[in-house]
Amino acid sequence: MAKITTASLLKMKQQGEKISTITAYDASFAKLFDQAGIHAILIGDSLGMVLQGQDDTLPVTIEEMAYHTQCVKRGVTDTLIIADMPFMTYANKDQALSNATKLMQAGASMVKMEGGAWLNDTISALVERGIPVCAHLGLTPQSVNVFGGFKVQGRDADKAKQMIEDAKLLEAAGAQLLVLECIPSDLGKAISEAITIPTIGIGAGKDTDGQILVMHDALGISCSYMPKFSRNFLKDTGDIKKAVELYISEVALGNFPGEEHIFK
């Protein structure tokens, strides 16, 4: 597999090829995923829940994210590496520039931030200084206390319309990738068609340009519960590398997510 870049992902969208993405937090799994042919790896602040046993992602620090980014980087040859900016590490432009620099120097090729059009100036500042940005709309886990829990977003017509507008504004600000989490499948389709940058869905239907799963969910080893939008690929194969290869194949063929994994 040739080295994956943001340009590679854009070309995939333009050619109608599906993008497969998964989280990783250490060199061993990162190397396995890289060799299996995954297109992008996200070092997610989900590590707070799946590694640390926290109730949500809020306690994760920038130092922890940088450490796990360094670990993942050591296992990767070709896969694009994206790192989450954790809670309240990008509340203003200067803070975002400082913390994004730490993640890029740790080995990330792109940083991810949750939020709508209020991030526009920050995204522009990062991109102008050579830091690619992945935006994130829908269920943004860092806002779990505002949402009152992990709930599907965008079912209300006005909120759906606002999300489409936010997506356009984030693209205009310079975002090169957009994660859509826990939204109705028709909204995932509408946003994907409204912007030219690739969309990566997690519980956003099968019409996004790609999919992402938390590795613990994809391998059926999450200690709490299996989200509706996930599938245990290890159960189907009995082998971790084959499970990841099946995930990549099922995304590419349009078989995952299935009807049972999407929100209406």
Side-chain angles (χ1 to χ4, degrees):
M1 183 175 75
K3 191 168 182 64
I4 302 295
T5 65
T6 53
S8 307
L9 301 185
L10 178 60
K11 186 176 181 181
M12 289 182 71
K13 170 166 182 157
Q14 294 168 342
Q15 295 180 341
E17 300 174 22
K18 294 291 188 179
I19 300 162
S20 55
T21 307
I22 198 166
T23 67
Y25 315 95
D26 66 29
S28 297
F29 276 107
K31 184 174 184 178
L32 186 150
F33 298 158
D34 181 79
Q35 292 176 343
I38 205 81
H39 298 112
I41 286 174
L42 171 69
I43 302 98
D45 58 4
S46 50
L47 69 86
M49 301 173 77
V50 297
L51 297 188
Q52 299 175 343
Q54 306 281 6
D55 292 331
D56 51 45
T57 64
L58 274 58
V60 178
T61 67
I62 191 69
E63 290 77 20
E64 290 168 340
M65 289 302 307
Y67 168 77
H68 285 281
T69 300
Q70 288 175 336
C71 293
V72 167
K73 174 64 175 177
R74 295 185 190 116
V76 167
T77 301
D78 297 318
T79 303
L80 181 74
I81 299 175
I82 308 167
D84 263 336
M85 296 275 283
F87 180 64
M88 290 300 289
T89 60
Y90 49 99
N92 59 59
K93 193 188 305 181
D94 289 341
Q95 187 184 43
L97 288 167
S98 175
N99 287 317
T101 299
K102 294 176 183 177
L103 296 182
M104 295 295 287
Q105 290 178 334
S109 300
M110 172 178 257
V111 299
K112 182 170 78 64
M113 299 185 293
E114 301 178 4
W118 66 270
L119 280 172
N120 285 355
D121 289 345
T122 297
I123 290 173
S124 294
L126 289 170
V127 173
E128 284 171 0
R129 290 159 179 81
I131 301 177
V133 174
C134 173
H136 184 155
L137 291 173
L139 171 58
T140 46
Q142 292 174 16
S143 301
V144 62
N145 292 315
V146 174
F147 294 148
F150 295 97
K151 300 177 179 179
V152 178
Q153 302 297 307
R155 280 179 166 152
D156 176 86
D158 288 339
K159 290 182 179 178
K161 183 178 179 181
Q162 183 60 55
M163 206 177 297
I164 294 171
E165 288 306 308
D166 278 350
K168 292 177 180 177
L169 290 169
L170 291 167
E171 177 182 19
Q176 292 175 283
L177 203 61
L178 176 63
V179 168
L180 299 171
E181 181 168 356
C182 288
I183 61 174
S185 58
D186 58 350
L187 180 55
K189 183 175 189 291
I191 293 174
S192 300
E193 292 175 349
I195 59 178
T196 60
I197 61 174
T199 58
I200 309 296
I202 178 165
K206 62 169 45 183
D207 294 305
T208 53
D209 302 305
Q211 301 292 327
I212 183 168
L213 287 176
V214 173
M215 58 164 279
H216 293 69
D217 294 338
L219 299 177
I221 55 175
S222 291
C223 57
S224 52
Y225 76 104
M226 178 68 76
K228 172 184 171 68
F229 53 73
S230 193
R231 172 177 158 189
N232 182 353
F233 290 90
L234 183 59
K235 182 179 179 180
D236 297 328
T237 61
D239 178 271
I240 293 177
K241 186 174 182 182
K242 289 179 180 177
V244 178
E245 290 171 344
L246 178 62
Y247 166 55
I248 295 169
S249 173
E250 291 288 80
V251 170
L253 294 171
N255 295 332
F256 178 80
E259 285 298 313
E260 69 272 27
H261 304 118
I262 68 174
F263 300 105
K264 300 291 187 179

